[in-house]
Amino acid sequence: MKPSSPHPTATVVADTPLAEVMSERVIRVRASATLAEVRELLHHHRVGAVPVVDPDGRPIGVVSRTDLLTPSEGELPDDRSTCDQLMMPVVFTLGTSAPVGHAAALMAVEGVHRVFVVDDHGSLVGVVSALDVTRWLAARAGYLGPELVS
């Protein structure tokens, strides 16, 4: 008996690289950016988090909207504080050729809403959010028109 072939959607998820799904427009900050600057960027660009990058553009941390709103030791962080004082020093990254399913699994297992995409040198080149993956899957299943997939 011949083994059954994988479901077509599973094959597409396994074969589609993040480079085809990621957003190349990534708002990023340096470790020296103030939390006031980060707040403004999050609000202006309507994003939930920004990666903190080193001078070579490699991600070294993340500051999220939750980080800015969650009291640390009883008080909210001071807007004059810098990213390096508040950032989560763990960044979940994958390469541009990693499959979409890998990003989805990483987000699910780690409980994060986004994975940052890096090139072969580790420099930030994109971001894939859980909503990006959901939109991409819905479009592949015929539920969304191309105008809703960006």
Side-chain angles (χ1 to χ4, degrees):
M1 177 183 235
K2 186 177 178 184
S4 63
S5 61
H7 187 277
T9 302
T11 302
V12 172
V13 170
D15 292 343
T16 303
L18 288 179
E20 292 183 26
V21 179
M22 73 181 194
S23 171
E24 293 177 3
R25 193 175 140 254
V26 184
I27 309 306
R28 62 195 82 200
V29 296
R30 295 284 177 94
S32 59
T34 66
L35 300 185
E37 293 169 324
V38 172
R39 259 187 236 288
E40 176 59 29
L41 286 171
L42 294 174
H43 175 73
H44 180 75
H45 295 283
R46 295 182 179 175
V47 294
V50 291
V52 180
V53 296
D54 70 12
D56 295 319
R58 292 186 299 257
I60 58 171
V62 178
V63 176
S64 72
R65 186 177 307 259
T66 303
D67 295 332
L68 297 173
L69 298 175
T70 304
S72 171
E73 298 178 23
E75 59 186 66
L76 290 173
D78 186 304
D79 276 353
R80 294 171 296 190
S81 299
T82 55
C83 288
D84 59 349
Q85 296 170 308
L86 184 70
M87 71 181 188
M88 169 61 79
V90 175
V91 185
F92 295 104
T93 64
L94 291 171
T96 55
S97 62
V100 172
H102 192 158
L106 182 59
M107 286 186 265
V109 168
E110 296 298 339
V112 295
H113 300 278
R114 67 201 53 78
V115 172
F116 295 101
V117 184
V118 295
D119 64 16
D120 292 339
H121 305 289
S123 295
L124 185 65
V125 295
V127 61
V128 174
S129 71
L131 186 54
D132 292 332
V133 173
T134 303
R135 281 187 183 129
W136 178 82
L137 284 170
R140 294 311 160 281
Y143 292 108
L144 295 178
E147 69 279 358
L148 295 176
V149 181
S150 53

